[in-house]
């Protein structure tokens, strides 16, 4: 006779798919190693999943070979199942190149994949909530759009890096007003001890303005994702950034 499952059995959580455990084991980075890599990082890439081209893995190898230090998959069009599949690719390729990889917005995805970096915007989960879910292990990044937000990120011991922008209007963030280079100068003048990145519309033509305003680290999207030769584009940017 078959017995019906008990309520406790029905509520028992299902184990994570085996491949996620494999990802965590194969791509694990200690917090101290991640901190050191982040402090040395200068070029941070955000990319979509490149589903139409179907070349995400080849693209990542090229961009990372060109000098990208941190890579983040940011694609709002993905469902969670597909994002988990692609985060496995990002994790594996980044690890092969000794680079960091970041999960955007999704603390649950970061937890399942063991991502060494998780990035949150001002409208996402607050810092204490992220730490409550993920613990002290992953590095936590924060978007900032004003001097007050940047100052708050700098003062928060739970924030490991922050981004300042968008400097120019960008289709990546529709409806978000550009903050301009003046904010970049203001943040640079405070001499943050937390690593920080300029973000938003930065490309090879605008890079000198960004550096002159005081930034030493940048986040780019189309400057590499839209390049016919991503490795060359990444190398061209990385070589102009401080050592």
């Amino acid at each position: 006779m078959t017995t019906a499952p008990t309520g406790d059995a029905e509520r028992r959580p299902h184990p994570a798919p085996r491949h996620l455990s494999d990802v965590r084991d194969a791509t694990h980075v200690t917090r101290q190693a991640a901190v050191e890599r982040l402090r040395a990082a200068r070029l941070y890439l955000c990319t979509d999943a490149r589903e139409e081209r179907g070349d995400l893995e080849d693209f990542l190898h090229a961009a990372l070979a060109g000098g990208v230090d941190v890579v983040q998959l940011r694609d709002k069009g993905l469902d969670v199942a597909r994002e988990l599949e692609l985060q496995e690719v990002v994790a594996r390729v980044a690890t092969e190149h000794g680079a960091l990889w970041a999960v955007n917005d999704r603390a649950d995805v970061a937890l399942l994949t063991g991502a060494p970096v998780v990035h949150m915007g001002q409208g996402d989960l607050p810092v204490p909530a992220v730490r409550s879910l993920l613990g002290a292990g992953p590095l936590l990044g924060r978007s900032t759009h004003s001097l007050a937000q940047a100052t708050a990120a700098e003062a928060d011991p739970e924030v490991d890096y922050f981004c300042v922008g968008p400097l120019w209007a960008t289709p990546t963030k529709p409806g978000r007003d550009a903050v301009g280079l003046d904010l970049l100068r203001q943040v640079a003048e405070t001499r943050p001890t937390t690593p920080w990145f300029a973000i938003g519309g930065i490309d090879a033509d605008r890079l000198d303005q960004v550096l002159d305003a005081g930034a030493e680290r940048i986040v780019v999207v189309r400057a590499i994702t839209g390049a016919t030769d991503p490795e060359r584009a990444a190398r061209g940017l990385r070589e102009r950034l401080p050592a």
Side-chain angles (χ1 to χ4, degrees):
M1 181 176 69
T2 303
T3 59
T6 66
D8 287 343
E10 289 176 338
R11 288 193 295 268
R12 187 177 300 123
H14 295 289
R18 179 59 184 271
H19 79 275
L20 292 177
S21 299
D22 293 342
V23 172
R24 288 194 297 268
D25 292 343
T27 64
H28 176 69
V29 178
T30 66
R31 178 173 174 82
Q32 184 56 41
V35 168
E36 292 172 1
R37 291 184 191 180
L38 178 66
R39 290 200 169 275
R42 295 293 180 267
L43 183 57
Y44 189 137
L45 168 66
C46 291
T47 180
D48 65 2
R50 302 177 72 88
E51 293 280 66
E52 291 184 2
R53 304 188 192 192
D55 67 345
L56 180 63
E57 183 167 354
D58 289 341
F59 166 78
L60 291 172
H61 275 296
L64 290 162
V68 166
D69 301 297
V70 188
V71 60
Q72 177 191 122
L73 176 63
R74 184 171 69 191
D75 194 323
K76 300 295 186 179
L78 297 175
D79 60 35
V80 178
R82 182 59 174 156
E83 181 171 355
L84 288 172
E85 292 177 4
L86 294 179
Q87 291 291 3
E88 178 181 0
V89 176
V90 176
R92 175 168 45 79
V93 177
T95 300
E96 288 181 23
H97 289 267
L100 290 173
W101 58 283
V103 166
N104 183 53
D105 293 350
R106 299 293 301 260
D108 54 346
V109 172
L111 180 63
L112 286 170
T113 58
V117 182
V118 59
H119 187 89
M120 293 289 167
Q122 289 292 319
D124 298 325
L125 286 175
V127 172
V130 177
R131 285 300 184 204
S132 177
L133 289 169
L134 301 182
L139 304 188
L140 176 57
R142 195 79 162 147
S143 296
T144 68
H145 317 296
S146 68
L147 182 59
Q149 291 175 357
T151 301
E154 162 70 1
D156 191 337
E158 297 296 340
V159 173
D160 296 289
Y161 76 92
F162 61 94
C163 298
V164 178
L167 302 182
W168 288 273
T170 168
T172 306
K173 292 289 183 180
R176 173 76 65 186
D177 292 336
V179 301
L181 292 169
D182 285 343
L183 177 58
L184 204 60
R185 296 186 186 94
Q186 292 170 9
V187 173
E189 287 171 359
T190 68
R191 298 185 180 277
T193 57
T194 303
W196 62 283
F197 295 77
I199 188 173
I202 301 171
D203 58 22
D205 293 335
R206 291 168 167 169
L207 181 56
D208 285 343
Q209 298 177 65
V210 175
L211 297 176
D212 289 344
E216 296 183 346
R217 300 176 177 87
I218 62 171
V219 180
V220 300
V221 184
R222 291 170 296 156
I224 296 178
T225 63
T228 56
D229 186 338
E231 181 175 350
R232 182 177 180 182
R235 182 171 293 110
L237 292 169
R238 187 65 179 85
E239 289 176 347
R240 293 167 61 187
L241 294 167

